[in-house]
Amino acid sequence: MSMDISPLLKMLVFPGGLTLIALGLLYEYIDRKLVARFQNRVGPRVLQPLADTIKLLAKEEVIPAGVIPLFFVSLPIIAMAGALTAGLYIPLAGFAPSFSLPGDLIITVFLLGLLTICIGLAGANTADRFSLLGATRTLTQLFSYEAPFLLALLCPAILADSWQISIVDTSVTGHVWLALPLFIGFFVAVIGLMGKLELAPFDAPEAESEIVAGALTEYSGRGLALFRLGKDVELVIGITLVSAFYLGGLSNPLEFLLKTLGLLVVVAALQALFARLRIDQVVGLWWRIGALLALLQLLIVVILKGVIL
Amino acid sequence: MTGPHVEKFIVPIGPQHPALKEPAHFEFTVDGETVTSASVRFGYVHRGLEKGAENRNWAQALYLLERVCGICSHAHSTVYSLGVERLAGVTAPPRAQAIRQILLELERIHSHMLWVGVAAHEAGFDTLFMYSWRDRETVMDILESFTGNRVNYSANVLGGVKYDLGPAQADSILSGLDYLEKRLHYYMKVVNNDESFLGRTRGVGTMTTEEAENLGAIGPVVRASGVSRDLRVDAPYLLYADFPINVITATAGDLQARFVVRIQELFESTRNIRALVEHLPEGELAVRFPRKVRAGETVSRIEAPRGGLFYFIKSDGGENPFRVKVRTPSLRNFMSVIVGAVGHQLADIPMILSGIDPCFSCNDRTVIVRREGRDGSAAPSESDSRKDSSS
């Protein structure tokens, strides 16, 4: 009996699994280093995120009283699995996605949202008050940015006549960057990505000066390591998606590196620029401005498409 | 939610919490994200400094009391020196007074810039935090080159000061102030114009003039609410009568006004230091101070960076103070936090708390109130015996 090991490789080494995790750690380092330099700090060393992860993985995972242990242990795993699975549908490193099917854009966005939902549930699972507040804020924030973010990603998809990431990616390659004509959509997508990743100034769910570490206050050891890794992976996937859609597609590794790192610089600069928004300000911002802008962009795209094509 | 009653959701902040750099315990009852009531408890860092001062002689107590607060240490040693000198009938020479005043104003710069950073950090604006602390190093370097220490300068002795201000140091102070003023103008621009930061400061923790008066607030907090209250002007000490400062007030009473008031005060400080450095009186640095201080009691007050600092000093004619009572300014501002927190978002609480520039360790004094029981015996109950009103 012969067995094709290529799907296994795809899932465990490239693009899923190890590559995604390594890229995630690298991008986390670049992000932290850039923010630190913008703030006139020294910042971490290259291997710091990896060292943190190894240290956390080696530590005892304390299961606090008052939680449902099954959820407590399994939620980080589900979150991590969701994030890694999402990596299979994106053109990582400029290569065609490992798996592609019509509508995988929705699947990817959902899988990324799964991570946030898991964090929210993990917070709600514990009896800790900071966790509960953090969970409320995490889920509140999820409901505010998710729709505008998805709408912003749909604009290029509508132009490409497909909700399949690989088709959108190839259709925008070689043309003018969509970020220029669809600058509103690009803007919403980048800000939405920052909200999704709970980066400053959208870090109210884990505002340390208010609610310690938010939903993950009670997590230590493996659970925390997995959630952090999941977020790193989400960072890579989110940045890849936005640059594939709005920055003229990703057709080779060099292009991938340049475009995603360029976007990361923008994201890092935005993090250093603003004071943290309160959760009510976040919701207000998204539903009053973000959602309207995204809808407006969508309307423009649909009308233009009807007129021109 | 268990049971028939709706449980109160209390968010405990402290004694260990990332927002607090010092231990204190706050309990905020929240409804969703809105605070409905608040309470505070101190006493975690009671060090017995007042009693310690009674067991030391007059000069030794100076160094002990300098350690009441790590940030306004010179203010504590100055207010104590002034009080004891008054009791003993000794006056420090003018040059010593000028140097004391220079140090007080330098300390105000370092304290207020520290506060700008801390308050920005509580608002999640770490960039401002890092920048202001980087620039604060300028004043720390000045203080270090002047006295040898970044904090706890030990510059005072009873009857004068230890360190003279030479021309080289005067130059380094002046050039340091030039740089600081440039940076302060920039921070002024940030706190007045940065929209995301204004979203966290404007209209937050607002205290009207009337409330500020009723709550007995003090220092920059009350000045930001439109009350002109500053001991440097109301009861001038050292050389403040000859080298006066202008009281900075604002009317809004919110956090943004406190930022503006504190930063503007620093311009007054730099102006004051410049004038003092340029017109430094000649003469001795210290006069002889007696071992024993004649019996009597006095109240000594100065304007520390956080507001009026109050010392009561009593002598029975011996070598040791008979009683030293310390009332630090933060204590008078805590009520404004407790009252002001109600109705605000939980996210604003760290900002409101840091808005008064709290210094918890300075507060902690113990007083034991013995209330006569019904049977006439002194039977302190739990709440009586542990009154942490830090008197």
Side-chain angles (χ1 to χ4, degrees), chain B residues 265-277:
Chain B
E265 269 182 19
L266 295 188
F267 291 124
E268 283 298 309
S269 293
T270 53
R271 196 180 54 75
N272 199 253
I273 296 169
R274 278 217 182 83
L276 281 164
V277 169

Side-chain angles (χ1 to χ4, degrees), chain A residues 151 155 158 182 292-307:
Chain A
L151 286 178
C155 296
I158 288 173
L182 306 185
L292 286 183
L293 281 179
L295 280 174
L296 178 72
Q297 182 67 81
L298 201 64
L299 195 68
I300 294 173
V301 167
V302 171
I303 291 173
L304 278 184
K305 202 171 168 232
V307 171

Side-chain angles (χ1 to χ4, degrees), chain B residues 132-296:
Chain B
S132 63
W133 277 38
R134 178 197 64 188
D135 295 330
R136 175 173 165 267
E137 285 301 307
T138 313
V139 68
M140 302 306 282
D141 288 344
I142 290 175
L143 286 165
E144 192 180 358
S145 72
F146 194 170
T147 65
N149 289 320
R150 284 160 60 89
V151 289
N152 291 347
Y153 322 110
S154 300
N156 283 324
V157 290
L158 295 177
V161 291
K162 268 189 219 165
Y163 305 109
D164 197 7
L165 187 64
Q169 268 151 357
D171 284 347
S172 83
I173 289 182
L174 292 179
S175 64
L177 290 184
D178 285 341
Y179 174 74
L180 278 174
E181 270 187 345
K182 214 168 64 197
R183 298 302 301 169
L184 287 171
H185 278 295
Y186 173 71
Y187 295 135
M188 198 63 158
K189 223 167 73 186
V190 172
V191 301
N192 277 329
N193 296 317
D194 189 288
E195 275 304 325
S196 69
F197 195 53
L198 283 177
R200 298 300 306 276
T201 57
R202 193 182 275 157
V204 173
T206 309
M207 197 165 55
T208 62
T209 308
E210 198 184 9
E211 280 170 340
E213 291 276 18
N214 288 344
L215 294 171
I218 201 172
V221 178
V222 76
R223 292 198 281 275
S225 292
V227 182
S228 172
R229 182 183 291 160
D230 191 324
L231 287 174
R232 291 175 291 175
V233 173
D234 301 340
Y237 48 95
L238 296 175
L239 301 182
Y240 280 110
D242 302 328
F243 297 90
I245 58 117
N246 300 318
V247 183
I248 306 292
T249 55
T251 47
D254 56 2
L255 280 172
Q256 200 230 343
R258 294 181 198 168
F259 269 97
V260 171
V261 163
R262 283 198 174 96
I263 294 178
Q264 273 187 346
E265 269 182 19
L266 295 188
F267 291 124
E268 283 298 309
S269 293
T270 53
R271 196 180 54 75
N272 199 253
I273 296 169
R274 278 217 182 83
L276 281 164
V277 169
E278 279 157 14
H279 303 99
L280 199 63
E282 295 298 327
E284 290 293 311
L285 284 182
V287 293
R288 206 178 147 68
F289 193 82
R291 245 172 92 87
K292 292 183 176 178
V293 174
R294 64 179 177 234

Side-chain angles (χ1 to χ4, degrees), chain B residues 113-124:
Chain B
M113 289 194 78
L114 176 125
W115 175 81
V116 168
V118 171
H121 174 65
E122 306 296 5

Side-chain angles (χ1 to χ4, degrees), chain A residues 38-41 129-130 132-133 137 208-212 271-281, chain B residues 9-12 17-19 33 121-127 130-131 134 196 199-200 346-348 350:
Chain A
F38 288 142
Q39 293 181 345
N40 225 302
R41 289 186 285 123
R129 280 165 279 197
F130 300 120
L132 287 176
L133 274 171
R137 289 189 184 181
E208 61 140 22
S209 53
E210 298 152 30
I211 49 170
V212 191
Q271 283 177 62
L273 221 50
F274 299 109
R276 183 189 302 129
L277 295 165
R278 279 196 314 257
I279 193 71
D280 58 317
Q281 289 172 331
Chain B
F9 194 83
I10 297 173
V11 179
H17 188 278
E33 286 266 340
H121 174 65
E122 306 296 5
F125 198 13
D126 279 356
T127 312
M130 298 294 166
Y131 273 57
R134 178 197 64 188
S196 69
R200 298 300 306 276
L346 183 67
D348 286 329

